[in-house]
Amino acid sequence: MQYTIFLFLLFNASISFGQQNFVAIDSLSSECSNTLSEEYQKKFETINKNIVLKKAAEKKLVKELYREMQQDFLEKIKEKEFICNKGLDKYLKELMDEVLTRNKINTQDYKILLSKDSKINAYNTGDGTIVINYGLFLAVENEDELVFVISHEIGHQFLNHVKNGIETYAKLSRSESIIAKTKEIQRQKYGKATKATNLMKNIVYEDYEKRRKKEIEADSIGFVFYGKTLRNPKAAVDILAKLDLSDIERDSLTVADYKFIFERNGFVLKQKYFNEEKSLFSKYDKMKGINVDSLKSHPDCATRIKLIEKKLEAKFSETYSSPKVFSEIKKNSIYQNLYNLYSLKQYGISLYESLKLYKKQTDDPVLQKIIYLNLLKIYESRINYTINRYVPAHDNLNNSDSLNRFVSYLNNIKISDFETIINNFKS
């Protein structure tokens, strides 16, 4: 197929995007992937051998939970979800080691990885590994903010939050009260769903409160670790304020936007392409009574900000560290995240985010090319009836109205019209 040939020629190894002189950082090589996989297999074997719990049932469950987490992590390595780049790896390790060394923590016990994930986040896996999502660079404005995030994740590891969380979960799931309540619900003739939902809400809120407490603890000790670097302390407040808004979709695509973008050379979009198929279960899509903040990636940032502000001195510098290496990463972060989504085969989201940018920058050759490539892949998935693998499903609970409209559009558009759109973007 002519599109596939074009795709191969365009995305071979390092990718340069025309006039903008943007070169995408490719995924980790097979050699790097194999090395990383071997390293973590050995690490996981050691961890599993050293699991010690008194109750056999709890120990068995803990081992199962660890294996699931470890298998998931190894699968991410296999699928090349981490970026292997000597320059970036060295830079991030230097930032992490700066925090560890200043706080007299053994640098050999920690490792930092860069994920292709576009979510504005970072996380600690509990085994000394800190993962920075490339999407975080969309939020951080300077190196100091990035270093505070790293300090926060070091705090999670230092306090053994992951290990303690797994063991607590194992004890909770085996607790007599939860088992008794579950059996009681199963015996009910009427109202099972309501009682099960209420039990689930209690567990969700308890989990949320624990998660919130852990985040505050990691902020607190992370701020102490960060303070030893002598970087701008206000960066901690700044990045938390940005993370608080990270779950909010900043822009959207209206029907008028689709017409503006795609109606070219006499082609006209049909209104029916945007019709949404209502689910029979739509009334259950929004669960009433669940605290929205409990579902956020970064819970209760407002409280966390106030707690850190109490530790700030009255006066502090307005100067932040932003060396050239950080500025280069930041400059390319929007394009790189779109490419990362594409390389992870998340063609739908890559296209969606690209179109939101393109409607304001229709002369941007990088966006044009990314849109074209994603259209090709989604077109192929429509032909092969595999679109659900690459485009998110219609979801009234988790998707915005804009994203649901986008999903409807891609599923409803006629194949012949899809081909017309692709040809219009080919040039």
Side-chain angles (χ1 to χ4, degrees):
M1 184 177 179
Q2 59 178 340
Y3 296 146
T4 306
I5 295 171
F6 178 83
L7 195 68
F8 174 77
L9 292 174
L10 187 64
F11 270 134
N12 188 18
S14 286
I15 301 97
S16 179
F17 285 84
Q19 299 173 10
Q20 301 288 70
N21 201 28
F22 165 67
V23 178
I25 301 167
D26 212 358
S27 168
L28 57 128
S29 65
S30 296
E31 181 181 355
C32 184
S33 177
N34 292 338
T35 302
L36 200 60
S37 183
E38 289 173 6
E39 177 186 340
Y40 274 91
Q41 283 179 26
K42 290 178 181 177
K43 181 193 285 272
F44 294 154
E45 285 174 9
T46 302
I47 290 172
N48 296 340
K49 285 179 182 177
N50 294 326
I51 294 174
V52 178
L53 284 170
K54 292 181 179 178
K55 294 183 178 180
E58 288 178 12
K59 183 176 181 180
K60 181 182 178 182
L61 182 54
V62 166
K63 282 191 173 184
E64 287 174 0
L65 291 170
Y66 269 117
R67 285 196 192 97
E68 286 179 12
M69 289 174 58
Q70 292 163 359
Q71 192 56 46
D72 180 62
F73 195 82
L74 291 172
E75 189 64 24
K76 287 180 179 180
I77 295 174
K78 181 182 177 182
E79 295 299 320
K80 300 183 179 179
E81 292 187 22
F82 297 105
I83 291 174
C84 190
N85 178 279
K86 289 183 180 179
L88 284 175
D89 292 345
K90 181 174 180 289
Y91 172 63
L92 290 175
K93 187 177 187 312
E94 286 173 352
L95 295 182
M96 182 183 70
D97 286 354
E98 176 188 347
V99 178
L100 295 171
T101 302
R102 294 289 179 91
N103 289 278
K104 296 183 170 62
I105 300 173
N106 188 355
T107 59
Q108 299 301 312
D109 293 338
Y110 286 77
K111 187 179 184 72
I112 192 163
L113 297 174
L114 182 60
S115 167
K116 291 158 72 174
D117 197 324
S118 64
K119 295 183 187 69
I120 299 173
N121 213 343
Y123 59 94
N124 162 240
T125 62
D127 55 25
T129 303
I130 292 167
V131 177
I132 301 293
N133 287 354
Y134 210 100
L136 183 65
F137 288 105
L138 296 173
V140 292
E141 293 293 335
N142 52 69
E143 190 179 77
D144 293 348
E145 292 178 1
L146 176 59
V147 172
F148 175 73
V149 172
I150 293 172
S151 301
H152 172 94
E153 298 307 328
I154 290 173
H156 279 303
Q157 179 63 47
F158 189 83
L159 296 170
N160 275 323
H161 277 162
V162 174
K163 177 178 179 291
N164 294 340
I166 289 174
E167 292 179 2
T168 300
Y169 176 82
K171 290 175 183 177
L172 177 65
S173 67
R174 303 301 303 174
S175 69
E176 292 181 4
S177 62
I178 294 295
I179 293 172
K181 286 177 183 177
T182 303
K183 288 181 177 178
E184 181 184 342
I185 290 171
Q186 289 172 343
R187 286 195 297 266
Q188 297 294 316
K189 188 173 181 181
Y190 303 106
K192 283 186 182 180
T194 301
K195 289 182 173 61
T197 299
N198 289 336
L199 177 60
M200 185 275 292
K201 283 183 183 179
N202 291 333
I203 293 172
V204 166
Y205 280 126
E206 184 176 0
D207 179 66
Y208 165 65
E209 287 303 323
K210 288 177 182 176
R211 190 160 64 98
R212 177 177 174 272
K213 182 173 180 286
K214 287 177 181 178
E215 292 305 319
I216 290 172
E217 290 173 349
D219 283 343
S220 182
I221 195 165
F223 190 71
V224 172
F225 291 157
Y226 177 79
K228 297 285 182 67
T229 68
L230 303 181
R231 290 174 176 269
N232 191 332
K234 189 172 180 290
V237 170
D238 293 342
I239 186 57
L240 281 176
K242 290 165 188 165
L243 294 178
D244 190 34
L245 302 174
S246 65
D247 289 320
I248 300 173
E249 188 171 2
R250 301 294 183 87
D251 202 354
S252 63
L253 289 173
T254 64
V255 174
D257 291 328
Y258 287 97
K259 290 179 177 293
F260 172 71
I261 293 170
F262 293 117
E263 290 190 343
R264 304 180 183 182
N265 304 323
F267 174 70
V268 178
L269 283 173
K270 296 178 176 65
Q271 183 63 38
K272 67 180 182 180
Y273 292 162
F274 302 98
N275 293 342
E276 297 181 22
E277 184 176 334
K278 297 297 182 182
S279 168
L280 292 173
F281 306 99
S282 58
K283 67 178 181 179
Y284 301 112
D285 286 345
K286 300 287 186 182
M287 186 177 289
K288 296 178 181 178
I290 289 290
N291 179 2
V292 174
D293 192 70
S294 70
L295 303 176
K296 291 176 69 172
S297 303
H298 309 280
D300 203 3
C301 284
T303 299
R304 293 162 62 189
I305 288 169
K306 287 178 183 177
L307 290 171
I308 288 181
E309 282 179 332
K310 290 180 180 178
K311 301 175 183 179
L312 291 176
E313 295 179 7
K315 295 182 180 179
F316 41 78
S317 171
E318 289 295 334
T319 304
Y320 298 90
S321 176
S322 291
K324 184 178 179 181
V325 60
F326 175 86
S327 298
E328 283 296 313
I329 297 170
K330 178 66 180 175
K331 183 180 74 173
N332 291 326
S333 61
I334 292 176
Y335 291 148
Q336 182 63 45
N337 271 291
L338 295 175
Y339 170 69
N340 287 345
L341 285 165
Y342 176 88
S343 66
L344 290 171
K345 299 182 180 180
Q346 296 179 28
Y347 307 126
I349 296 298
S350 181
L351 176 61
Y352 180 66
E353 295 299 331
S354 300
L355 291 175
K356 287 195 290 186
L357 295 168
Y358 181 76
K359 69 177 185 178
K360 300 173 184 176
Q361 306 171 57
T362 55
D363 59 345
D364 188 316
V366 178
L367 293 177
Q368 288 176 0
K369 199 158 289 186
I370 292 174
I371 289 169
Y372 174 59
L373 292 169
N374 280 302
L375 285 171
L376 286 177
K377 285 297 187 181
I378 295 169
Y379 169 78
E380 288 178 8
S381 73
R382 277 286 304 273
I383 295 294
N384 297 322
Y385 300 99
T386 57
I387 189 170
N388 290 338
R389 296 181 189 175
Y390 311 111
V391 174
H394 194 284
D395 185 342
N396 287 332
L397 178 60
N398 298 301
N399 292 356
S400 64
D401 291 340
S402 174
L403 182 54
N404 279 334
R405 185 183 303 115
F406 171 77
V407 172
S408 296
Y409 170 68
L410 289 182
N411 281 279
N412 293 341
I413 187 170
K414 281 173 56 179
I415 292 298
S416 58
D417 284 351
F418 214 135
E419 291 169 350
T420 299
I421 287 171
I422 289 173
N423 285 327
N424 284 339
F425 263 90
K426 188 175 181 179
S427 56

